[in-house]
Amino acid sequence: MTIQKVGVLGCGLMGSGIAQVSASAGFDVTVLEADQKFIDKGFASIEKSLAKFAEKPEKSGITPEKAKEVRGRLRGTTRREDLAECDIIIEAIIENVAAKREMFSALDKIARQGAIFASNTSSISITELAASTRRPERFIGLHFFNPVPLMKLVEVVRTISTSDEVFDAGVEFGRKLGKVPVRTSDKTGFIVNRLLVPYLLDAIRAYEEGVGSIEDIDRAMQLGCGYPMGPFTLLDFVGLDTTYYITHVMFEEFKERRFASPPLLKRLVLAGWFGKKSGKGFYDYSDPAKPAAQDSALRGIISEERNSTATHR
Ligand code: CAA
């Protein structure tokens, strides 16, 4: 099974990263978006990332000439028909089951019969998405990590319907992208989020219980365990809205407290504090070079809720 042409659905944070690593690996890439403005935004972030890599070609392997070639292999479109000739189509649109199913079902009628369909979803069932097509045996999960150009891992997910041939082709494709593929099955959260999400939620609970300040909990996990980011920096980086959504899907699946959202996470999301992307989360990013921990604001929320519960007892 030879893969030459790659289609990417969505040009947001994950889609643009997947498009970038695919073009960097030599594939011709067509990226589908609903509007040209999203393509322009995504391509601008690819441009920025390639420019960063090209500053240190000895380390990244990307010279300014190679960066130019990569750009030449990328094409944006707003027409689904332009994906008709793709050998693999990787979806990275909004985390919404109905939107993903509609997209896959429509593309099933457009894409060539042998094309593999893949979803980058972090929590939605691959089996449910595959069932919206007439090619469930050619459907896999390819779960990348943020920031895609730097993170080495890709989770390759099979369902009960995925054929061995397609699963192996997914693993091989991951390798060709320069990633390290791990094989996993369609259990909500796969490997990484199954372990990462309870850890992040526990950090919030520990904070709610007064175990330490935001910065001290972050520092402790960075310096005590060698993690590149502490849990609150990582939560803000992943997006609190994204994490909150994932907790819902995981709690729904397993009905275990370790996957349930702590009240503080819900409050932050309701307030529109989504983390780095919205300028505020556990840290305030008014000065992006020096994020300021939001202890005073958050401690206020926690103690107000405690007081109001106490008064109503
Ligand atoms: N493109 C190209 N280069 C980039 C880049 C990008 N998008 N972003 C950063 N870089 C480069 C920087 O220029 C820098 O290069 P030099 O070392 O040559 O100067 C290098 O990468 C390191 O960057 P920084 O110095 O800015 O920061 P860092 O050392 O902390 O590394 C990081 C950044 C790789 C993101 C690191 O902090 C890290 O690994 N964090 C954890 C990320 C993580 O856990 N991601 C997974 C989230 S979970 C998920 O995605 C799945 C889900 O379903 C929720």
Side-chain angles (χ1 to χ4, degrees):
M1 193 177 295
T2 327
I3 294 176
Q4 282 174 337
K5 292 188 177 148
V6 176
V8 178
L9 311 177
C11 200
L13 193 67
M14 299 306 283
S16 63
I18 296 166
Q20 179 183 333
V21 295
S22 303
S24 302
F27 295 104
D28 289 321
V29 183
T30 305
V31 188
L32 177 77
E33 256 297 356
D35 197 300
Q36 183 61 37
K37 68 177 183 226
F38 300 124
I39 297 171
D40 295 342
K41 191 169 173 223
F43 279 23
S45 79
I46 294 177
E47 190 64 44
K48 225 167 121 187
S49 173
L50 288 172
K52 250 189 211 172
F53 282 135
E55 276 170 22
K56 294 186 179 165
E58 63 298 337
K59 187 176 162 198
S60 67
I62 297 191
T63 58
E65 297 72 47
K66 173 146 190 217
K68 204 171 153 200
E69 278 169 36
V70 172
R71 275 177 228 119
R73 285 194 281 270
L74 284 161
R75 185 172 159 229
T77 184
T78 53
R79 285 166 24 100
R80 289 174 172 177
E81 292 71 24
D82 290 341
L83 298 174
E85 295 308 314
C86 289
D87 303 305
I88 186 165
I89 295 178
I90 309 162
E91 170 274 316
I93 65 168
I94 182 175
E95 284 288 89
N96 176 297
V97 184
K100 286 181 196 286
R101 281 179 61 95
E102 187 281 324
M103 177 67 93
F104 277 122
S105 160
L107 280 169
D108 193 30
K109 295 176 189 91
I110 295 168
R112 58 180 203 77
Q113 255 187 359
I116 297 175
F117 280 8
S119 174
N120 175 60
T121 183
S122 50
S123 53
I124 292 170
S125 161
I126 304 295
T127 311
E128 188 174 0
L129 299 179
S132 66
T133 72
R134 289 163 306 173
R135 61 179 88 202
E137 71 292 348
R138 307 195 67 73
F139 208 113
I140 51 173
L142 280 179
H143 185 216
F144 293 84
F145 293 82
N146 181 24
V148 181
L150 296 184
M151 302 305 281
K152 281 288 177 200
L153 186 73
V154 60
E155 291 180 312
V156 185
V157 187
R158 76 178 306 163
T159 73
I160 47 170
S161 309
T162 309
S163 76
D164 290 345
E165 184 202 12
V166 166
F167 191 44
D168 291 344
V171 170
E172 192 45 37
F173 177 69
R175 276 201 199 106
K176 286 203 175 132
L177 297 186
K179 303 294 177 202
V180 177
V182 289
R183 294 166 188 258
T184 184
S185 61
D186 188 27
K187 305 271 169 5
T188 304
F190 316 130
I191 298 173
V192 171
N193 281 337
R194 173 78 170 249
L195 301 175
L196 177 66
V197 170
Y199 155 71
L200 294 175
L201 300 182
D202 241 356
I204 302 175
R205 285 187 198 107
Y207 180 70
E208 285 176 327
E209 288 166 24
V211 169
S213 68
I214 291 172
E215 277 179 320
D216 279 348
I217 294 176
D218 266 359
R219 235 175 252 137
M221 294 314 290
Q222 261 190 298
L223 303 181
C225 294
Y227 290 5
M229 289 175 169
F232 295 112
T233 305
L234 185 55
L235 277 157
D236 278 359
F237 182 70
V238 168
L240 304 188
D241 52 338
T242 307
T243 309
Y244 185 58
Y245 179 78
I246 295 174
T247 65
H248 272 288
V249 183
M250 294 190 79
F251 185 76
E252 180 60 30
E253 173 92 347
F254 299 111
K255 303 282 189 300
E256 289 176 26
R257 181 182 182 262
R258 65 196 171 115
F259 298 113
S261 168
L264 183 58
L265 177 61
K266 184 174 175 185
R267 295 296 172 280
L268 291 172
V269 173
L270 290 176
W273 295 12
F274 297 155
K276 210 171 171 190
K277 63 182 163 192
S278 72
K280 236 188 221 182
F282 286 97
Y283 290 86
D284 182 323
Y285 297 87
S286 306
D287 175 0
K290 260 186 131 202
Q294 296 263 59
D295 287 288
S296 50
L298 301 188
R299 283 267 159 249
I301 297 176
I302 294 167
S303 63
E304 255 172 44
E305 293 204 339
R306 284 218 180 104
N307 291 343
S308 77
T309 328
T311 348
H312 287 95
R313 253 185 213 138

